[in-house]
Amino acid sequence: MTRLFEPYTIREVEFKNRIAMAPMCMYSSHNCDGQIEDWHKTHYSTRAVGQVGLIIVEATAVQPEGRISAQDLGIWSDDHIVGLTEVVRLMKQHGTKTGIQLAHAGRKATVDGDIFAPSAMAFNDTYKTPVEMTVNDIKATIQAFKDGTIRAQKAGFDVIELHGAHGYLINEFLSPLTNKRTDDYGGSAENRYRILREIIDEVRNVWVGPLFVRISAHDYTEGGMTPEAYVEMAKWMKEQGIDLVDVSSGALVPAKIDAFPGYQVKFSETIKSGAHIATGAVGLITTGIQAEEILKNGRADLILLARELLRDPYWAYSAAKELGTEIPVPKQYDRGWTF
Ligand SMILES: Cc1cc2nc3c(=O)[nH]c(=O)nc-3n(C[C@H](O)[C@H](O)[C@H](O)COP(=O)(O)O)c2cc1C
């Protein structure tokens, strides 16, 4: 048995393999109300038929002003539970485990009205200047992550991922490049981590299942965060009951990224060995052999794929063939494997 197709268990939730679909915004809530549409149902259930072990539903906004675009999925209202429940049901029919990424876009929100961030600094000339959050605003957002978790639980998700990457709200608090606050939520690493600490504590009060945090391990900018700096925060996450750090990078500030196959895997390795926490590797991972190498060399515990699964929803079958392993096929598709 290859490592990629070995089952993997976190807090009694068993993934049938170590292939995860990374969260990917579909910008398909056509009525700008955060609701699940037919597109989401087809898109996610197709990857479930494709034997992905864990599907993490795209960045889903915990507050409407925290949407990247008006077409983002939302979980700020009980009205969202029905649609999400349906998507979970469709995915689970095929034995996949289901996750959802809870998100707030911070200064990278492009919705009408005021947008909010730790400090009143725009991402670049094309983005609005955000309003600096008051402590009351911060408390309301922490509560929104908790409420979103309760709704995700009602919808039947197995895994919650907190979006702390790509220059969105939590990431903006964590990095000194975007957090210029002088109160308890800015300054030292402990203070910049405070909002995430409080979100995790609130979420853990209502959620006993697997809990992931996605981070941008590198800001690629002088004075910004690095994988080594994140080791300290990942230790705090572990103490707080985070099960896995999903290690991405960049997009906090406009900086050039040299993206090559597996370019973020070394960050995953640094955090895994430095903080003794499980990690997910993501970023230009496209072959079974590459995935197997990462797992067998102990560089990550989970392989997340994004664009490759847009091109090939049945990637798991290709990877199994490449690695000389057989995986179950839905009985309707048996004929595809007989010659
Ligand atoms: C269409 C698209 C939408 C994305 N949306 C999200 C998102 O909602 N949340 C997130 O954390 N990353 C998002 N990403 C980033 C991916 O999850 C992933 O980290 C990145 O694409 C690198 O992996 P890949 O080389 O396998 O595509 C998105 C990427 C794509 C291509």
Side-chain angles (χ1 to χ4, degrees):
M1 180 61 101
T2 57
R3 185 67 57 82
L4 186 60
F5 291 99
E6 251 175 28
Y8 179 47
T9 302
I10 303 179
R11 291 185 192 255
E12 294 171 23
V13 174
E14 187 184 277
F15 311 112
K16 65 182 161 191
N17 56 45
R18 292 176 186 250
I19 304 169
M21 176 160 146
M24 277 182 281
C25 286
M26 292 288 106
Y27 308 117
S28 294
S29 258
H30 308 298
N31 296 317
C32 302
D33 55 4
Q35 289 288 357
I36 288 286
E37 298 292 343
D38 286 349
W39 175 262
H40 303 104
K41 295 178 193 170
T42 305
H43 168 68
Y44 288 113
S45 54
T46 302
R47 275 73 197 172
V49 172
Q51 301 305 310
V52 171
L54 167 66
I55 296 177
I56 306 180
V57 167
E58 67 201 76
T60 302
V62 297
Q63 291 178 301
E65 63 273 26
R67 285 173 292 173
I68 302 164
S69 81
Q71 289 78 24
D72 287 16
L73 281 185
I75 195 160
W76 64 81
S77 156
D78 286 348
D79 295 342
H80 294 123
I81 297 171
V82 172
L84 291 168
T85 304
E86 177 62 2
V87 166
V88 168
R89 186 186 73 79
L90 290 169
M91 289 189 281
K92 282 196 173 172
Q93 285 179 343
H94 308 290
T96 192
K97 292 295 188 291
T98 59
I100 184 166
Q101 188 183 49
L102 301 184
H104 188 301
R107 70 174 184 166
K108 290 173 91 175
T110 65
V111 286
D112 290 341
D114 283 343
I115 61 167
F116 296 88
S119 301
M121 299 153 63
F123 178 74
N124 65 20
D125 291 347
T126 64
Y127 282 82
K128 285 195 256 194
T129 300
V131 174
E132 178 175 318
M133 291 171 87
T134 64
V135 171
N136 278 344
D137 293 334
I138 292 173
K139 299 289 178 201
T141 296
I142 293 167
Q143 181 67 39
F145 273 96
K146 180 182 189 177
D147 293 343
T149 300
I150 293 167
R151 294 183 187 114
Q153 187 161 32
K154 286 186 177 155
F157 285 100
D158 302 299
V159 173
I160 304 269
E161 175 167 283
L162 303 172
H163 197 347
H166 303 162
Y168 299 117
L169 187 80
I170 294 173
N171 193 180
E172 291 160 18
F173 272 93
L174 297 179
S175 174
L177 296 177
T178 42
N179 183 344
K180 303 293 181 192
R181 299 179 73 93
T182 53
D183 63 2
D184 288 349
Y185 290 92
S188 65
E190 284 89 343
N191 279 358
R192 285 181 277 112
Y193 182 76
R194 189 175 308 279
I195 188 170
L196 181 54
R197 175 178 294 286
E198 293 180 357
I199 290 170
I200 295 170
D201 280 345
E202 288 299 330
V203 167
R204 266 283 170 238
N205 279 336
V206 293
W207 175 256
V208 295
L211 186 56
F212 299 180
V213 175
R214 177 168 262 209
I215 61 166
S216 272
H218 212 311
D219 292 341
Y220 304 106
T221 302
E222 181 120 22
M225 292 295 283
T226 60
E228 291 71 27
Y230 266 111
V231 166
E232 183 183 36
M233 289 189 180
K235 286 181 183 166
W236 297 332
M237 291 179 206
K238 188 179 178 191
E239 282 165 16
Q240 288 190 273
I242 292 300
D243 299 299
L244 181 141
V245 182
D246 173 2
V247 184
S248 186
S249 72
L252 177 83
V253 289
K256 198 164 159 31
I257 302 175
D258 178 19
F260 51 86
Y263 66 108
Q264 297 170 145
V265 175
K266 58 186 186 294
F267 307 152
S268 158
E269 202 170 358
T270 299
I271 287 162
K272 184 172 163 58
S273 62
H276 305 289
I277 190 165
T279 58
V282 66
L284 285 177
I285 301 168
T286 54
T287 70
I289 287 173
Q290 206 186 347
E292 192 66 6
E293 182 278 322
I294 294 165
L295 294 169
K296 281 248 171 84
N297 278 319
R299 310 173 77 192
D301 301 274
L302 202 61
I303 300 296
L304 291 104
L305 306 172
R307 288 165 291 180
E308 187 62 22
L309 280 174
L310 297 184
R311 292 185 286 267
D312 180 7
Y314 299 143
W315 182 86
Y317 296 114
S318 322
K321 197 170 169 190
E322 188 190 340
L323 295 170
T325 296
E326 277 191 20
I327 58 172
V329 176
K331 69 176 185 327
Q332 296 90 334
Y333 288 178
D334 265 351
R335 290 287 300 275
W337 272 258
T338 49
F339 298 97

